[in-house]
Amino acid sequence: MTRSIAIALTALLLAAGLAAPAQAQSFRFGIFFGDEASDFYPERITCMSDYQIRQAVAHRGYTNIYLNVMMEKHVEVRATRDGWVYLLDFNYCTGRIEGRTQLRPAG
């Protein structure tokens, strides 16, 4: 009799959707596509190392690359291009240059 009650209770819970197998359950929470600007410029799973930052900036045509101040997901990069020294605001998680200030002629 106890076994028949357990089977009936399990059947009732399954019918109500409360005892579905773990692989059949899906959880939908968090930020969904289109909610954040980061959906359009996705961040990397792991952010870039110093070497990868220098390579990414060099790939954009800069030389004499120096990393200055590390901030939250950003680093100030001083680099030379086309005869000028620039201060770049580089997001090391998206790999994008988000700001550029021309400092002085290179020399």
Side-chain angles (χ1 to χ4, degrees):
M1 180 167 156
T2 307
R3 184 177 174 160
S4 63
I5 292 173
I7 292 172
L9 184 58
T10 302
L12 181 64
L13 289 173
L14 283 173
L18 299 175
Q23 64 270 21
Q25 293 178 358
S26 65
F27 299 99
R28 296 195 43 100
F29 58 88
I31 298 173
F32 298 101
F33 181 79
D35 290 348
E36 297 291 325
S38 63
D39 290 334
F40 303 103
Y41 301 104
E43 291 187 354
R44 300 162 51 98
I45 293 173
T46 58
C47 296
M48 297 177 163
S49 67
D50 290 357
Y51 176 78
Q52 291 170 321
I53 294 168
R54 286 187 180 91
Q55 292 298 313
V57 172
H59 182 72
R60 290 171 173 87
Y62 292 90
T63 59
N64 301 328
I65 300 164
Y66 298 95
L67 304 184
N68 290 339
V69 180
M70 299 292 273
M71 298 169 281
E72 184 178 323
K73 297 182 183 179
H74 291 261
V75 60
E76 286 185 354
V77 179
R78 193 181 76 219
T80 304
R81 181 175 172 186
D82 299 327
W84 284 90
V85 177
Y86 293 94
L87 184 63
L88 308 173
D89 178 16
F90 187 83
N91 184 320
Y92 57 86
C93 289
T94 63
R96 296 178 61 230
I97 295 174
E98 296 185 355
R100 182 176 90 160
T101 304
Q102 193 175 31
L103 297 177
R104 59 181 168 75

